[in-house]
Amino acid sequence: MASSGSRFADCPPPPYYAVIFASQRNPGDNGYGAAAQRMIEIAPGMPGYLGVETARVPDGFGITVCYWKDEASIRGWKAQAEHHAAQEQGKAEWYERYELKVAKVERAYGGPQGR
Amino acid sequence: MASSGSRFADCPPPPYYAVIFASQRNPGDNGYGAAAQRMIEIAPGMPGYLGVETARVPDGFGITVCYWKDEASIRGWKAQAEHHAAQEQGKAEWYERYELKVAKVERAYGGPQGR
Protein backbone atom coordinates (compact mmCIF):
# COMPACT_ATOMS: atom_id res chain seq x y z
CA MET A 1 0.00 0.00 0.00
CA ALA A 2 2.91 2.35 0.50
CA SER A 3 3.29 2.85 -3.23
CA SER A 4 -0.22 4.19 -3.69
CA GLY A 5 -1.35 5.26 -0.25
CA SER A 6 -0.05 8.75 -0.65
CA ARG A 7 -2.04 9.26 -3.86
CA PHE A 8 -5.31 9.18 -1.91
CA ALA A 9 -6.53 12.03 0.25
CA ASP A 10 -7.09 11.00 3.86
CA CYS A 11 -10.34 12.87 4.49
CA PRO A 12 -12.46 12.86 7.65
CA PRO A 13 -16.08 11.70 7.50
CA PRO A 14 -18.36 14.02 5.44
CA PRO A 15 -19.56 16.68 5.16
CA TYR A 16 -16.67 18.66 3.67
CA TYR A 17 -15.96 20.32 0.34
CA ALA A 18 -14.29 19.24 -2.90
CA VAL A 19 -12.85 21.57 -5.53
CA ILE A 20 -12.83 19.61 -8.79
CA PHE A 21 -10.38 21.07 -11.32
CA ALA A 22 -10.32 19.52 -14.81
CA SER A 23 -7.80 21.02 -17.19
CA GLN A 24 -6.13 20.67 -20.56
CA ARG A 25 -2.53 21.89 -20.50
CA ASN A 26 -0.97 23.91 -23.27
CA PRO A 27 2.28 22.48 -24.70
CA GLY A 28 5.51 23.51 -22.95
CA ASP A 29 6.28 23.84 -19.26
CA ASN A 30 6.48 27.65 -18.88
CA GLY A 31 7.08 27.31 -15.16
CA TYR A 32 4.12 25.03 -14.58
CA GLY A 33 6.02 22.14 -13.02
CA ALA A 34 7.73 24.22 -10.37
CA ALA A 35 4.57 26.16 -9.57
CA ALA A 36 2.48 23.00 -9.29
CA GLN A 37 5.04 21.53 -6.91
CA ARG A 38 5.01 24.72 -4.86
CA MET A 39 1.21 24.69 -4.59
CA ILE A 40 1.34 21.10 -3.33
CA GLU A 41 3.87 22.21 -0.71
CA ILE A 42 1.98 25.21 0.62
CA ALA A 43 -1.66 24.07 0.37
CA PRO A 44 -1.37 21.67 3.35
CA GLY A 45 -0.41 24.64 5.53
CA MET A 46 -3.66 26.45 4.78
CA PRO A 47 -6.55 26.41 7.29
CA GLY A 48 -9.10 23.76 6.48
CA TYR A 49 -6.96 21.79 4.00
CA LEU A 50 -7.94 18.11 4.02
CA GLY A 51 -6.04 16.60 1.10
CA VAL A 52 -5.56 16.41 -2.66
CA GLU A 53 -5.80 13.79 -5.40
CA THR A 54 -4.47 14.40 -8.88
CA ALA A 55 -4.04 12.54 -12.18
CA ARG A 56 -2.85 13.87 -15.51
CA VAL A 57 -2.57 11.78 -18.67
CA PRO A 58 0.36 12.15 -21.07
CA ASP A 59 -1.63 14.22 -23.57
CA GLY A 60 -2.09 16.94 -20.95
CA PHE A 61 -5.64 16.39 -19.70
CA GLY A 62 -5.81 16.19 -15.93
CA ILE A 63 -8.12 16.15 -12.95
CA THR A 64 -7.16 17.48 -9.53
CA VAL A 65 -9.55 17.26 -6.60
CA CYS A 66 -8.65 19.26 -3.51
CA TYR A 67 -10.61 18.72 -0.32
CA TRP A 68 -11.39 21.46 2.20
CA LYS A 69 -13.22 21.70 5.50
CA ASP A 70 -15.65 24.41 4.42
CA GLU A 71 -16.28 27.26 2.01
CA ALA A 72 -14.25 29.68 4.12
CA SER A 73 -11.14 27.56 3.71
CA ILE A 74 -11.69 27.42 -0.07
CA ARG A 75 -11.91 31.23 -0.14
CA GLY A 76 -8.73 31.46 1.93
CA TRP A 77 -6.81 29.26 -0.50
CA LYS A 78 -8.19 31.08 -3.54
CA ALA A 79 -6.90 34.37 -2.11
CA GLN A 80 -3.48 33.06 -0.97
CA ALA A 81 -0.90 35.27 -2.67
CA GLU A 82 1.27 32.66 -4.38
CA HIS A 83 -1.78 30.66 -5.39
CA HIS A 84 -3.46 33.77 -6.76
CA ALA A 85 -0.41 34.45 -8.92
CA ALA A 86 -0.46 30.84 -10.11
CA GLN A 87 -4.13 31.15 -11.05
CA GLU A 88 -3.36 34.18 -13.20
CA GLN A 89 -0.42 32.47 -14.92
CA GLY A 90 -2.57 29.40 -15.43
CA LYS A 91 -5.19 31.39 -17.28
CA ALA A 92 -2.57 33.22 -19.34
CA GLU A 93 -0.15 30.42 -20.17
CA TRP A 94 -0.65 26.95 -18.79
CA TYR A 95 -4.19 25.93 -19.64
CA GLU A 96 -5.90 25.66 -22.98
CA ARG A 97 -9.09 25.16 -21.02
CA TYR A 98 -10.18 24.38 -17.48
CA GLU A 99 -13.37 23.70 -15.58
CA LEU A 100 -13.57 24.25 -11.84
CA LYS A 101 -16.43 23.01 -9.67
CA VAL A 102 -17.07 23.50 -5.96
CA ALA A 103 -19.04 20.64 -4.44
CA LYS A 104 -20.17 19.61 -0.98
CA VAL A 105 -19.22 15.99 -0.24
CA GLU A 106 -22.21 14.31 1.37
CA ARG A 107 -21.14 10.63 1.37
CA ALA A 108 -17.88 8.72 1.00
CA TYR A 109 -17.02 5.04 0.61
CA GLY A 110 -13.80 3.12 0.18
CA GLY A 111 -12.73 -0.34 -0.83
CA PRO A 112 -11.43 -3.01 -0.98
CA GLN A 113 -8.64 -1.80 1.30
CA GLY A 114 -9.96 1.75 1.38
CA ARG A 115 -11.26 1.59 4.93
CA MET B 1 -10.44 22.79 -29.20
CA ALA B 2 -11.70 19.69 -30.96
CA SER B 3 -8.84 17.62 -29.59
CA SER B 4 -9.72 18.29 -25.97
CA GLY B 5 -13.34 19.33 -26.04
CA SER B 6 -14.62 15.82 -25.60
CA ARG B 7 -12.55 15.31 -22.45
CA PHE B 8 -14.64 17.84 -20.55
CA ALA B 9 -18.16 17.16 -19.32
CA ASP B 10 -20.70 19.61 -20.72
CA CYS B 11 -22.74 20.17 -17.58
CA PRO B 12 -25.71 22.49 -17.10
CA PRO B 13 -25.58 25.24 -14.48
CA PRO B 14 -25.47 23.92 -10.87
CA PRO B 15 -26.85 22.44 -8.75
CA TYR B 16 -26.19 18.84 -9.79
CA TYR B 17 -24.20 15.93 -8.39
CA ALA B 18 -20.65 14.65 -8.88
CA VAL B 19 -19.48 11.11 -8.12
CA ILE B 20 -15.72 11.34 -7.55
CA PHE B 21 -13.99 7.98 -8.00
CA ALA B 22 -10.26 7.80 -7.22
CA SER B 23 -8.66 4.42 -7.75
CA GLN B 24 -5.41 2.51 -7.90
CA ARG B 25 -5.51 -0.30 -10.46
CA ASN B 26 -4.04 -3.71 -9.86
CA PRO B 27 -1.57 -4.90 -12.52
CA GLY B 28 -3.04 -6.72 -15.51
CA ASP B 29 -6.15 -6.01 -17.53
CA ASN B 30 -8.45 -8.84 -16.42
CA GLY B 31 -11.27 -7.49 -18.56
CA TYR B 32 -11.02 -3.97 -17.19
CA GLY B 33 -10.46 -2.20 -20.50
CA ALA B 34 -13.48 -3.68 -22.22
CA ALA B 35 -15.70 -3.16 -19.18
CA ALA B 36 -14.61 0.45 -18.76
CA GLN B 37 -15.37 1.12 -22.42
CA ARG B 38 -18.77 -0.54 -22.03
CA MET B 39 -19.60 1.63 -18.98
CA ILE B 40 -18.74 4.76 -20.96
CA GLU B 41 -21.07 3.57 -23.72
CA ILE B 42 -24.09 2.80 -21.55
CA ALA B 43 -23.89 5.50 -18.86
CA PRO B 44 -25.02 8.29 -21.22
CA GLY B 45 -28.27 6.38 -21.79
CA MET B 46 -29.13 6.44 -18.09
CA PRO B 47 -31.67 8.96 -16.74
CA GLY B 48 -29.99 12.03 -15.28
CA TYR B 49 -26.53 11.43 -16.80
CA LEU B 50 -24.76 14.75 -17.41
CA GLY B 51 -21.21 13.77 -18.35
CA VAL B 52 -17.92 12.22 -17.29
CA GLU B 53 -14.29 13.30 -16.98
CA THR B 54 -11.49 10.81 -16.44
CA ALA B 55 -7.70 10.74 -16.16
CA ARG B 56 -5.44 7.81 -15.28
CA VAL B 57 -1.67 8.06 -15.02
CA PRO B 58 0.62 5.30 -16.32
CA ASP B 59 1.25 3.85 -12.83
CA GLY B 60 -2.44 3.04 -12.52
CA PHE B 61 -3.78 5.82 -10.29
CA GLY B 62 -6.82 7.49 -11.78
CA ILE B 63 -9.65 9.89 -11.09
CA THR B 64 -13.06 9.65 -12.77
CA VAL B 65 -15.76 12.21 -12.05
CA CYS B 66 -19.24 11.40 -13.30
CA TYR B 67 -21.92 14.06 -13.17
CA TRP B 68 -25.60 13.35 -12.52
CA LYS B 69 -28.77 15.39 -12.25
CA ASP B 70 -29.72 14.23 -8.76
CA GLU B 71 -29.34 11.50 -6.17
CA ALA B 72 -32.05 9.41 -7.80
CA SER B 73 -30.05 9.19 -11.04
CA ILE B 74 -26.95 8.14 -9.07
CA ARG B 75 -28.96 5.36 -7.43
CA GLY B 76 -30.26 4.29 -10.82
CA TRP B 77 -26.77 4.01 -12.25
CA LYS B 78 -25.44 2.20 -9.19
CA ALA B 79 -28.16 -0.44 -9.60
CA GLN B 80 -27.86 -0.83 -13.40
CA ALA B 81 -27.19 -4.54 -14.00
CA GLU B 82 -24.02 -4.36 -16.09
CA HIS B 83 -22.61 -1.61 -13.91
CA HIS B 84 -23.41 -3.58 -10.79
CA ALA B 85 -21.47 -6.55 -12.17
CA ALA B 86 -18.58 -4.24 -13.01
CA GLN B 87 -18.56 -2.88 -9.45
CA GLU B 88 -18.26 -6.40 -8.08
CA GLN B 89 -15.45 -7.33 -10.46
CA GLY B 90 -13.73 -4.05 -9.64
CA LYS B 91 -13.70 -4.86 -5.93
CA ALA B 92 -12.53 -8.41 -6.59
CA GLU B 93 -9.93 -7.90 -9.31
CA TRP B 94 -9.33 -4.48 -10.81
CA TYR B 95 -8.67 -2.16 -7.90
CA GLU B 96 -6.03 -2.32 -5.22
CA ARG B 97 -7.92 0.52 -3.56
CA TYR B 98 -10.62 3.03 -4.41
CA GLU B 99 -12.36 5.96 -2.77
CA LEU B 100 -15.79 7.08 -3.92
CA LYS B 101 -17.39 10.35 -2.90
CA VAL B 102 -20.84 11.73 -3.70
CA ALA B 103 -20.90 15.52 -3.77
CA LYS B 104 -23.41 18.23 -4.63
CA VAL B 105 -21.93 20.73 -7.09
CA GLU B 106 -22.86 24.20 -5.92
CA ARG B 107 -20.75 26.43 -8.20
CA ALA B 108 -18.87 26.00 -11.48
CA TYR B 109 -16.45 28.18 -13.43
CA GLY B 110 -14.54 27.74 -16.66
CA GLY B 111 -11.67 29.39 -18.42
CA PRO B 112 -9.90 30.67 -20.48
CA GLN B 113 -11.98 29.17 -23.29
CA GLY B 114 -14.16 27.18 -20.88
CA ARG B 115 -17.24 29.33 -21.41
Side-chain angles (χ1 to χ4, degrees):
Chain A
M1 294 297 296
S3 63
S4 66
S6 62
R7 310 293 290 272
F8 291 91
D10 186 22
C11 294
Y16 51 85
Y17 275 82
V19 177
I20 305 165
F21 183 75
S23 62
Q24 178 68 43
R25 289 266 288 109
N26 282 318
D29 186 71
N30 294 317
Y32 170 80
Q37 182 59 38
R38 177 68 181 151
M39 294 305 108
I40 287 173
E41 288 170 6
I42 62 178
M46 295 295 294
Y49 173 90
L50 298 178
V52 67
E53 294 166 341
T54 189
R56 188 173 300 281
V57 296
D59 79 353
F61 182 80
I63 300 172
T64 296
V65 187
C66 197
Y67 299 99
W68 298 91
K69 181 182 176 187
D70 51 26
E71 295 235 49
S73 52
I74 293 172
R75 283 193 297 270
W77 173 236
K78 185 179 180 185
Q80 198 274 349
E82 284 184 78
H83 183 220
H84 186 77
Q87 292 168 55
E88 294 302 311
Q89 195 171 358
K91 291 177 192 176
E93 296 187 76
W94 299 331
Y95 300 118
E96 175 188 311
R97 178 180 172 185
Y98 65 83
E99 298 288 342
L100 186 150
K101 297 175 177 74
V102 177
K104 185 177 186 179
V105 178
E106 299 179 346
R107 295 179 282 131
Y109 313 90
Q113 291 88 346
R115 58 194 53 168
Chain B
M1 294 298 295
S3 63
S4 67
S6 62
R7 310 294 289 271
F8 291 92
D10 185 23
C11 293
Y16 50 87
Y17 276 81
V19 177
I20 305 165
F21 183 75
S23 62
Q24 178 68 43
R25 289 268 287 110
N26 283 319
D29 186 71
N30 293 317
Y32 170 81
Q37 181 60 38
R38 177 69 182 150
M39 295 304 107
I40 286 173
E41 289 170 4
I42 62 177
M46 294 294 295
Y49 174 89
L50 298 178
V52 66
E53 293 167 341
T54 189
R56 187 173 301 281
V57 297
D59 80 353
F61 182 80
I63 300 173
T64 296
V65 187
C66 196
Y67 299 100
W68 298 91
K69 181 182 176 186
D70 51 27
E71 296 235 49
S73 52
I74 294 172
R75 283 194 297 272
W77 174 235
K78 185 179 179 184
Q80 197 275 348
E82 284 184 77
H83 183 221
H84 185 78
Q87 292 168 56
E88 294 304 309
Q89 195 172 358
K91 292 179 191 175
E93 296 188 77
W94 298 331
Y95 300 118
E96 176 188 311
R97 178 180 172 186
Y98 65 83
E99 297 287 344
L100 186 151
K101 296 175 178 75
V102 177
K104 185 177 185 178
V105 178
E106 298 179 346
R107 292 179 283 131
Y109 313 91
Q113 292 88 345
R115 59 193 58 167

